[in-house]
Amino acid sequence: MPQNEAGEHIERELLILTRNRETSTPRGVRGGGPLDRSAYVLLSRLEAQGPMSIPDFVDAFGFAPSTFTRQTSALLRDGLVERTLDPEGGVARKFRITAEGLARLAEQREVFVDGISGVIADWPAERRERFIADLRQFNTDVERVSGRSWPRPMAGDR
């Protein structure tokens, strides 16, 4: 299959994957309902990387500072992040995930993982491993091209 045609197929499947994820947002998550997609992504990044400033978010995601000002304001209001001094001694204030933010993130992640686990329940182990490896390779290639990586746990961690 030619590269452009493959790109069209992948784009379509990623669109459907995103839609399926969005329509399977967990119901009945404690404390204010499910996290919206942007809150889930930002909290996941804070969990993986540690405290971040608005410029750190801009560098990590490539969106305008106003986007992160708006999103972090909502997270602060909901008690999911707190402002803290830069642990490395810088002058910028950073956002750190709170215990409540970690709990809500973990709860919602568990619902997502349970849903995904149900979908792949009948897959043989080697197919699951191949799918994970292909997905990881695709994501690391996107990160290489974009210049924006996502922190991953060390081998053996989660």
Side-chain angles (χ1 to χ4, degrees):
M1 172 181 309
Q3 180 180 336
N4 195 49
E5 185 179 343
E8 290 173 358
H9 286 278
I10 292 168
E11 182 277 333
R12 185 174 315 110
E13 294 305 322
L14 289 173
L15 170 74
I16 294 167
L17 177 66
T18 302
R19 183 200 175 275
N20 287 337
R21 171 94 186 252
E22 304 254 334
T23 60
S24 64
T25 299
R27 306 281 184 248
V29 176
R30 73 186 186 96
L35 299 168
D36 67 31
R37 186 174 60 89
S38 64
Y40 187 86
V41 170
L42 290 183
L43 291 174
S44 293
R45 184 64 183 240
L46 288 170
E47 178 191 42
Q49 183 170 333
M52 296 176 72
S53 65
I54 296 293
D56 293 335
F57 284 123
V58 170
D59 288 344
F61 294 98
F63 298 121
S66 60
T67 300
F68 299 106
T69 300
R70 185 174 54 257
Q71 292 174 344
T72 55
S73 293
L75 294 173
L76 278 166
R77 183 190 64 241
D78 293 342
L80 304 177
V81 298
E82 61 190 1
R83 287 180 204 251
T84 184
L85 295 174
D86 184 345
E88 297 171 7
V91 294
R93 301 285 253 162
K94 296 212 173 194
F95 295 92
R96 175 175 57 201
I97 192 168
T98 63
E100 176 67 16
L102 282 170
R104 296 261 311 272
L105 180 62
E107 185 177 14
Q108 186 157 330
R109 182 177 289 135
E110 182 179 351
V111 173
F112 284 142
V113 169
D114 287 348
I116 293 166
S117 297
V119 170
I120 63 171
D122 295 334
W123 292 14
E126 58 276 357
R127 181 175 179 202
R128 291 192 296 260
E129 292 164 12
R130 185 178 64 246
F131 183 69
I132 292 165
D134 288 345
L135 212 52
R136 181 177 291 129
Q137 184 64 58
F138 180 80
N139 282 326
T140 56
D141 286 348
V142 168
E143 292 167 6
R144 177 182 46 77
V145 169
S146 72
R148 292 189 172 88
S149 63
W150 188 275
R152 288 177 174 76
M154 300 297 289
D157 292 350
R158 191 172 75 105

